[in-house]
Amino acid sequence: MLEALERFAPLPLQESWDNAGLQIGLTEAEVSGALLCLDVNEAVIDEALARGCNLVVSHHPLLFRGLKQVADANDVQRTVRKALRADVGIISMHTNLDNALNGVNFKIAERLGAEKVEPMGDEQHPGQWVMATLPEAMEASQFVQHVKGQLEAASAMCNELLKRPIHKVGICGGAGDFLLEEAIAKGADAFLTGEMHYHQYFGHEQQVQICVVGHYESEHFTKELLRDIIEHNCPSVRCCMAETNTNPIIYL
């Protein structure tokens, strides 16, 4: 199964700072079931055990900045210990899945019902962001509501609402604000991402509709993509979609 995931999203596509791939476990272990999720924490390991899964496949890596000890000093260490004690393996497909053709950004475009999706990356990042063409142009307020509904987002942070129709949407899940200017240059009417720095909202009034829905909200459907890859290549593996909400942000 690891081979199938890495064939779809080869590890060389990941960014230099990332840590995708096998996190915990042995490649030859027999899989009783795979729990698919965005983030890995103790509650996710508990859910995997409760549902008879000895493998967790996540988008965000559990082991990201490295460990100097495995004790109980923080949530990562406690999660590692729990996974090891229970013999639960962990695989993470992060920026390699972001950068893959038909990867994370294509899934977001699919959720929005795009009729055409163009990859806008380069050789190293073929799917880094996409330009999605909507079936019909939408007014800005309608577009924002559509995005919120399709991505199950409680809210959206936007700049001044655009006074022209939105037809082409630049999309980058997660923290994609570094691509805003490129999306504008490529003719996007709107730019959809998960995070954006405050000062980047300035200066784009009536130039592009910025729509920022939250990091978790922009990527939590990645588990559907992981399911599709596994079920297509490893139909004998039982896949479970995690029900644990790992979003650390609440809206009051």
Side-chain angles (χ1 to χ4, degrees):
M1 191 177 73
L2 178 61
E3 180 182 347
L5 289 165
E6 293 183 0
R7 187 165 56 247
F8 183 92
L11 291 183
L13 291 181
Q14 70 178 309
E15 302 296 337
S16 60
W17 43 262
D18 200 8
N19 187 38
L22 181 64
Q23 304 260 297
I24 294 175
L26 303 174
T27 55
E28 64 269 21
E30 184 175 345
V31 179
S32 63
L35 184 72
L36 314 179
C37 59
L38 181 62
D39 311 288
V40 187
N41 59 19
E42 290 184 272
V44 168
I45 301 299
D46 287 338
E47 182 181 348
L49 293 172
R51 299 178 72 176
C53 298
N54 66 347
L55 178 66
V56 170
V57 184
S58 70
H59 182 44
H60 294 150
L62 172 64
L63 302 177
F64 189 59
R65 294 181 173 86
L67 289 176
K68 293 189 177 181
Q69 65 174 7
V70 181
D72 63 352
N74 56 48
D75 60 330
V76 173
Q77 292 183 24
R78 290 189 292 272
T79 303
V80 169
R81 287 185 45 146
K82 178 166 284 194
L84 289 172
R85 285 199 303 267
D87 202 19
V88 172
I90 299 174
I91 295 171
S92 300
M93 296 283 109
H94 192 210
T95 53
N96 54 322
L97 195 60
D98 290 327
N99 290 327
L101 289 175
N102 298 312
V104 174
N105 299 314
F106 294 80
K107 174 56 70 173
I108 297 172
E110 178 186 308
R111 296 288 307 184
L112 296 185
E115 66 175 5
K116 180 181 179 183
V117 184
E118 301 173 77
M120 304 300 287
D122 52 33
E123 185 176 351
Q124 177 61 31
H125 315 91
Q128 185 178 46
W129 70 282
V130 301
M131 185 75 81
T133 303
L134 301 174
E136 296 180 358
M138 296 181 176
E139 292 184 358
S141 59
Q142 180 189 8
F143 168 75
V144 173
Q145 293 305 315
H146 177 67
V147 168
K148 287 170 57 181
Q150 294 305 114
L151 299 186
E152 298 179 6
S155 61
M157 298 176 67
C158 305
N159 62 343
E160 179 181 274
L161 290 180
L162 206 62
K163 295 176 182 176
R164 70 170 192 272
I166 293 171
H167 199 201
K168 291 189 173 184
V169 185
I171 299 173
C172 181
D177 58 1
F178 66 101
L179 291 165
L180 174 63
E181 298 296 337
E182 184 177 347
I184 293 171
K186 295 288 187 179
D189 300 310
F191 183 68
L192 170 62
T193 190
E195 294 182 37
M196 182 166 290
H197 287 85
Y198 172 77
H199 291 285
Q200 289 181 277
Y201 288 86
F202 286 100
H204 300 297
E205 297 80 7
Q206 299 309 312
Q207 183 183 39
V208 67
Q209 182 64 63
I210 295 171
C211 185
V212 180
V213 294
H215 198 122
Y216 177 90
E217 287 80 2
S218 72
E219 293 187 328
H220 66 120
F221 291 105
T222 300
K223 57 190 178 184
E224 294 181 359
L225 176 59
L226 294 170
R227 177 200 60 199
D228 294 345
I229 297 168
I230 295 170
E231 289 186 346
H232 177 74
N233 293 280
C234 309
S236 63
V237 174
R238 179 174 61 92
C239 290
C240 300
M241 308 286 275
E243 297 175 355
T244 302
N245 184 346
T246 58
N247 191 354
I249 299 170
I250 62 172
Y251 300 89
L252 302 176

